[in-house]
Amino acid sequence: MKIEWDGRRSVAFERLRGGSKKGAYRVTFDDGATAVLYSWRDGENYWPEAEGEVEPFGDATGLGLFLAAHERLTRVGVRVPEVYFVDQSNELALIEDVPGGKLEESMDPEVLGKLGDSLRRMWEQQAPWFGKIGDPVRTQSAVGVVKQRALRHLDEAAKRVAEIGDARERLAEMVERLAGDIQPKEDYRLIHGELGPDHVLIDRRGDPVVIDIEGLMFFDLEWEHVFLRLRFGDDYRHLEVDGLDERRMNLYGLAMHLSLVAGPLRLLDGDFPDREFMLEIARYNAEKVLAWDREIDNP
């Protein structure tokens, strides 16, 4: 493949690590400049189609979702990589190569503080519906969607992990009980949906740059914060907010762990290359799920 950009011509491509739903390549040009090429073309998405997946958790991939999320985040003041050009027909985008590495490599408190400020601006955005940008879901409640998804992931995990299979009935009862304890609300906020420190880059000014934005959606803020707590650990203090519903946090926490068992193991049915990384995610979250079962046995 040859890429031309602002009078430059590509001379080298390097595939970047990760990228289970799209290809990400660092492109070097003939004058030494670099950029990142995102490709959503056939063959770049390693995820098999998940039967019964419900919105807004359907496959968050594609140039259209990327551009919609990019426009919305830019509008609310969240730093995302600059887009140099897009090729609609081939599902390609050439974007800024942010030079400072990933936040997970440093966990710099100053950058974390800036990230918290940026995300709180995003979380201030409200909608009376939930769903991906431009694709509202009006027929179900957010809690109902999470419960349905958690039970499906529990069934998947039970078939793949013997210990979860043994605990399946108790865990299903726990999901139903946690969901039943939650009061309805319609205060949906704009969230990234899967924000870990590996999805934040640092630019030359020391500012955080958010990537992997295709899953941007309006949803319960608690869903975002369950994932942030899981991924940022002690550094979550830089990102926390007041007023979260702990009942939702409990249900969404268990649902998240079930998703992170079933999803990675399903991904490994295909030919995803970084297999040990996905197995480790599944192992860690299976243990978290089983901790819930032990809590049921020893309330």
Side-chain angles (χ1 to χ4, degrees):
M1 179 188 300
K2 293 294 183 181
I3 300 290
E4 294 189 5
W5 162 50
D6 200 20
R8 304 175 175 94
R9 293 189 177 187
S10 60
V11 295
F13 290 82
E14 172 195 0
R15 183 163 190 135
L16 301 179
R17 185 176 181 270
S20 62
K21 292 184 178 180
K22 64 177 177 290
Y25 302 85
R26 176 168 288 112
V27 186
T28 302
F29 292 89
D30 51 10
D31 65 349
T34 61
V36 171
L37 181 70
Y38 281 167
S39 170
W40 293 272
R41 295 185 299 179
D42 292 345
E44 298 283 12
N45 187 350
Y46 287 98
W47 286 90
E49 185 174 348
E51 291 185 11
E53 188 61 281
V54 291
E55 289 296 343
F57 297 106
D59 203 9
T61 186
L63 177 59
L65 286 175
F66 171 77
L67 293 175
H70 191 280
E71 187 278 332
R72 181 60 67 100
L73 290 173
T74 300
R75 193 195 318 165
V76 302
V78 175
R79 170 87 159 92
V80 285
E82 182 181 352
V83 175
Y84 297 141
F85 73 77
V86 299
D87 180 343
Q88 299 274 4
S89 60
N90 289 305
E91 289 276 303
L92 299 172
L94 190 72
I95 70 167
E96 174 187 4
D97 186 11
V98 180
K102 294 183 177 180
L103 177 58
E104 67 178 350
E105 297 163 0
S106 67
M107 301 303 282
D108 184 318
E110 183 175 351
V111 179
L112 283 160
K114 291 180 180 179
L115 177 63
D117 293 341
S118 177
L119 293 178
R120 290 183 189 99
R121 290 195 295 273
M122 179 179 74
W123 297 329
E124 288 174 355
Q125 307 302 307
Q126 301 181 49
W129 49 267
F130 67 88
K132 295 191 184 78
I133 301 303
D135 189 18
V137 178
R138 303 186 189 276
T139 59
Q140 300 184 70
S141 69
V143 169
V145 166
V146 172
K147 183 184 81 167
Q148 176 185 344
R149 190 169 183 261
L151 292 172
R152 183 169 57 78
H153 287 156
L154 173 58
D155 285 343
E156 282 190 56
K159 294 173 184 175
R160 297 171 180 270
V161 181
E163 294 86 351
I164 294 178
D166 293 340
R168 185 202 169 282
E169 185 173 341
R170 293 189 298 273
L171 288 166
E173 291 173 356
M174 172 66 82
V175 170
E176 294 280 2
R177 183 177 67 76
L178 290 173
D181 289 342
I182 296 173
Q183 298 299 312
K185 68 172 185 177
E186 293 184 354
D187 179 21
Y188 302 117
R189 302 300 181 99
L190 188 62
I191 67 171
H192 181 282
E194 197 177 31
L195 188 64
D198 57 331
H199 291 165
V200 181
L201 306 178
I202 303 173
D203 70 12
R204 288 188 174 88
R205 297 173 302 195
D207 291 336
V209 182
V210 177
I211 61 171
D212 285 349
I213 58 176
E214 291 92 319
L216 189 76
M217 61 182 167
F218 284 98
F219 203 70
D220 282 344
L221 188 55
E222 287 82 4
W223 183 262
E224 184 94 299
H225 283 267
V226 161
F227 196 80
L228 293 172
R229 281 184 182 180
L230 173 64
R231 292 302 317 278
F232 282 84
D234 291 342
D235 290 304
Y236 169 71
R237 67 185 186 276
H238 297 281
L239 312 176
E240 62 187 353
V241 297
D242 296 327
L244 296 174
D245 181 352
E246 284 301 322
R247 293 166 299 178
R248 277 181 169 77
M249 295 291 284
N250 286 335
L251 172 64
Y252 292 0
L254 178 54
M256 187 78 72
H257 289 307
L258 287 166
S259 172
L260 292 171
V261 176
L265 293 180
R266 188 185 335 120
L267 180 63
L268 293 178
D269 287 342
D271 56 357
F272 182 71
D274 199 350
R275 303 186 71 79
E276 186 56 39
F277 175 66
M278 283 296 163
L279 280 172
E280 185 55 37
I281 290 175
R283 292 188 194 107
Y284 174 84
N285 285 282
E287 181 53 38
K288 292 295 184 181
V289 169
L290 293 170
W292 276 91
D293 183 49
R294 290 192 290 271
E295 183 177 314
I296 296 169
D297 284 343
N298 300 285

